[in-house]
Amino acid sequence: MHPAPSIIVFTTLSGLGYGLAAVLGLGLVDPSALATKVAHVLALVLIAAGLSASTLHLGNPQRAWRALSQWRSSWLSREGVMAILTFVPLVVSAWASLFEGRYLPTVGIVGTVMCMVTVYCTAMIYASLQSVQAWHTKLTPLCYRLFAIAGGFVLAAFFALCGGGNGVAMCLLALLFLIAAWVAKVFWRRNMLQAAPLSSPESATGLGNIGRVRLLERPHAMENYLTREMGFKVARKHAAKLWKLAFAAGGVIPAVLMLALLPLAGGPSLFAAMLAGLAVVFHLLGMMVERWLFFAEARHAVMNYYGG
Amino acid sequence: MTSLPSLPTPKKLGLVIDLDVCVGCHACVVNCKEWNTGGYGTALSDQDPYGVDVSGAWLNRVHTFEVVPDGGEVVGEAGDARIVHFPKSCLHCEDAPCVTVCPTGASYKRADDGIVLVDEDMCIGCGLCAWACPYGAREMDLAAGVMKKCTLCIDRIYNETFEEADRQPACVRTCPANARHFGDLADPQSAVSIMVAERGGVDLMPEQGTRPVNKYLPPRARKPLADSAPSLPLAENTDGAKGFFAWLDGMLDRI
């Protein structure tokens, strides 16, 4: 599948934003601290930036409002509806922290749950497509949610160490969810690499009972929408390299930094905050590579007609 | 409304494509583009149409496959491999995944005849339906920013100002080999249903669970070319030449 930059930005930034908002909704940090207030604003900015990026690849973005209508059948529509509804508790929580220095438990928890539901809907846009076998697994929404929570805790650890509250708890939880997310992702990738293909050129053409089927000629000399959109391939050697990069930057480095921060995280310190900030940067870069591979490595059933 | 019709549609209009007959001339491809660029919806645009990197939206394309039987050899024309030309357009699936993923309601399946259509005024051009289709039946029109697909020539088949013979999809009407047939696959007495029953028509990728309406008739069994012509004369050899050719052979040898 073609890894469109707008979709990679959309899923990583909104995932990170919802993760941070979900963590803030738990009320584990001091709502009156300046760092927490900034965190609330950042969560909303990340979500808004991600959602606006997602409209960039539309052919007719001026009609995007129509996408809210088919929530009964379409995960994309559900995602849109949930994204808008989730803004309500998140904005209320942010307001309470920013202007009243208060944490509202009910609104906070409702916001946390809705954040997770929204990220689930985002993942289901891809997981619901049987035509892309690698995505069509329950592990896809699990990975999306765990990555969102892990990213949320890494960011929350940074803000806690900037003066928002208990850094130890945040670092520990970040470490825990980083490990959980990457374990799930390793299973997801193994499933993608080892599963027998659901469809083949034989089943795609119905000619399998005659013999082995091979594409002799494409229907056209040049690329078309389908080969550009569905046929994007990444060389195996590069995929392996990029996977290691994503794993190191998105998982190992932030996890090691979180572990290293545990003895320093008792109170706010500039050095600890800088280390946590570094973890955030690495995690974000790693997630971008992970999301790029999520698209670039996935094979679409239509490629059985194109010899790919 | 992008939920599929709750009941099976009373009619299942669709195509039956005979892979034994298709000669791969691409006439259906061209006539489809010709008709649909001026018919339902916006024109089917091309990008860089006269340049080196030409591409565009087409609703029907012909692929060509080589099929090698088990143990078969690929040796030029005398080998066992056979070439199958394979036209592909929307299969108007009963469980069309392209319809249910549509976030706007632009993509829908008609409850009365089962045709899958796109309402272009509602389409936002997100491309998710093209991702959901395992067959590659949908292509984005990059000029209009809306999704394009086979309409089964809805503006021909119900057009009463046309002669009866012309109330068929453009691809069917134009096929010089009669490899494409149009009809109601819900009616067991229709010509297309009888054809499917007699020839063992198949679904493409049944494992994807889409239940396509269009059916493909597999190529008829064929004996190897070598069996049909066991003693093909070799160009280097004039053994067994008789009469005039024996005389000519002798004369030319002497020159």
Side-chain angles (χ1 to χ4, degrees):
Chain A
M1 303 296 292
H2 171 64
S6 60
I7 297 188
I8 293 170
V9 169
F10 156 56
T11 60
T12 45
L13 290 194
S14 71
L16 200 58
Y18 283 122
L20 178 59
V23 171
L24 291 172
L26 297 174
L28 301 173
V29 285
D30 174 12
S32 59
L34 177 64
T36 308
K37 295 179 183 192
V38 175
H40 272 290
V41 174
L42 180 70
L44 290 172
V45 167
L46 285 172
I47 294 168
L51 293 175
S52 4
S54 75
T55 61
L56 290 179
H57 79 286
L58 298 181
N60 279 289
Q62 77 283 4
R63 299 178 192 150
W65 60 272
R66 289 189 183 275
L68 303 174
S69 66
Q70 302 302 311
W71 49 270
R72 287 182 205 82
S73 65
S74 164
W75 282 104
L76 178 50
S77 189
R78 285 171 199 164
E79 201 267 347
V81 171
M82 279 308 298
I84 287 173
L85 291 181
T86 306
F87 269 116
V88 176
L90 296 193
V91 167
V92 172
S93 282
W95 183 277
S97 167
L98 277 170
F99 299 108
E100 298 165 22
R102 286 198 301 148
Y103 166 66
L104 308 171
T106 319
V107 183
I109 297 296
V110 167
T112 300
V113 171
M114 286 174 80
C115 282
M116 285 302 106
V117 174
T118 308
V119 174
Y120 180 76
C121 291
T122 307
M124 283 307 291
I125 297 172
Y126 309 109
S128 66
L129 302 179
Q130 188 158 25
S131 51
V132 185
Q133 198 180 349
W135 297 349
H136 192 60
T137 155
K138 285 185 175 139
L139 287 173
T140 302
L142 182 67
C143 288
Y144 267 71
R145 275 174 297 173
L146 286 175
F147 277 131
I149 301 171
F153 275 118
V154 173
L155 263 176
F158 168 72
F159 284 110
L161 292 167
C162 288
N166 187 345
V168 180
M170 291 298 131
C171 287
L172 263 178
L173 286 165
L175 185 63
L176 187 75
F177 278 101
L178 278 171
I179 293 169
W182 281 99
V183 167
K185 184 67 191 182
V186 165
F187 276 104
W188 182 91
R189 192 157 192 272
R190 187 195 286 176
N191 178 53
M192 178 189 73
L193 294 176
Q194 294 180 355
L198 177 66
S199 297
S200 60
E202 286 77 20
S203 74
T205 57
L207 298 171
N209 52 1
I210 300 179
R212 206 158 20 86
V213 177
R214 184 178 73 92
L215 182 73
L216 193 69
E217 272 188 294
R218 282 187 174 197
H220 40 82
M222 312 303 286
E223 295 286 309
N224 70 9
Y225 173 73
L226 297 170
T227 59
R228 279 192 298 260
E229 191 76 1
M230 262 61 99
F232 189 91
K233 281 184 285 185
V234 54
R236 254 229 148 102
K237 58 173 182 177
H238 293 314
K241 214 176 276 177
L242 286 168
W243 165 252
K244 281 178 195 153
L245 263 176
F247 186 71
V252 178
I253 296 175
V256 167
L257 284 171
M258 288 298 123
L259 201 59
L261 279 171
L262 282 178
L264 305 172
S269 87
L270 184 63
F271 177 63
M274 278 170 65
L275 280 189
L278 205 59
V280 169
V281 171
F282 271 106
H283 180 70
L284 181 61
L285 290 176
M287 289 317 297
M288 292 268 184
V289 179
E290 185 271 339
R291 233 17 84 79
W292 191 86
L293 277 176
F294 176 81
F295 292 96
E297 278 197 292
R299 184 179 184 273
H300 194 284
V302 77
M303 292 319 285
N304 288 309
Y305 294 108
Y306 282 94
Chain B
M1 187 61 219
T2 57
S3 293
L4 291 164
S6 51
L7 296 169
T9 55
K11 277 185 172 182
K12 291 186 207 168
L13 297 186
L15 300 177
V16 170
I17 294 170
D18 192 340
L19 297 178
D20 197 63
V21 171
C22 177
V23 295
C25 70
H26 292 243
C28 57
V29 178
V30 175
N31 201 23
C32 167
K33 177 92 166 180
E34 206 286 326
W35 178 263
N36 284 294
T37 205
Y40 178 96
T42 62
L44 283 172
S45 73
D46 289 311
Q47 279 66 48
D48 196 15
Y50 304 104
V52 286
D53 200 21
V54 56
S55 79
W58 298 70
L59 313 182
N60 177 40
R61 292 181 185 263
V62 178
H63 301 238
T64 299
F65 292 96
E66 175 197 78
V67 193
V68 186
D70 279 343
E73 273 187 278
V74 187
V75 193
E77 286 185 17
D80 299 315
R82 63 187 293 180
I83 304 306
V84 178
H85 301 291
F86 190 92
K88 183 166 60 62
S89 49
C90 172
L91 308 171
H92 298 280
C93 301
E94 288 186 67
D95 283 335
C98 56
V99 169
T100 51
V101 298
C102 175
T104 67
S107 198
Y108 64 105
K109 185 171 176 70
R110 287 163 41 118
D112 44 354
D113 55 16
I115 297 178
V116 176
L117 284 178
V118 174
D119 180 342
E120 294 181 1
D121 292 334
M122 284 165 78
C123 177
I124 56 174
C126 70
L128 190 60
C129 54
W131 284 15
C133 172
Y135 307 105
R138 291 175 168 240
E139 296 188 17
M140 184 88 80
D141 187 303
L142 295 181
V146 294
M147 195 54 75
K148 287 292 189 174
K149 70 176 295 301
C150 161
T151 67
L152 218 51
C153 283
I154 197 153
D155 43 1
R156 292 177 64 98
I157 58 176
Y158 291 117
N159 194 334
E160 289 179 6
T161 64
F162 279 14
E163 301 274 335
E164 183 79 37
D166 287 327
R167 287 179 217 162
Q168 296 206 333
C171 58
V172 173
R173 190 73 184 95
T174 203
C175 179
N178 215 18
R180 303 180 72 112
H181 307 271
F182 163 71
D184 178 10
L185 287 136
D187 172 11
Q189 299 308 315
S190 68
V192 283
S193 294
I194 292 169
M195 224 179 283
V196 169
E198 285 178 354
R199 293 276 305 283
V202 297
D203 286 349
L204 304 183
M205 292 200 233
E207 68 278 5
Q208 293 278 347
T210 53
R211 297 200 296 143
V213 167
N214 285 14
K215 303 284 182 242
Y216 281 73
L217 306 181
R220 291 182 174 89
R222 190 187 80 171
K223 50 185 180 179
L225 273 182
D227 292 356
S228 309
S231 54
L232 286 173
L234 292 170
E236 295 79 12
N237 195 344
T238 54
D239 290 349
K242 288 185 193 111
F244 171 72
F245 292 107
W247 172 80
L248 187 63
D249 180 38
M251 288 304 286
L252 288 170
D253 276 348
R254 254 171 253 153
I255 296 171

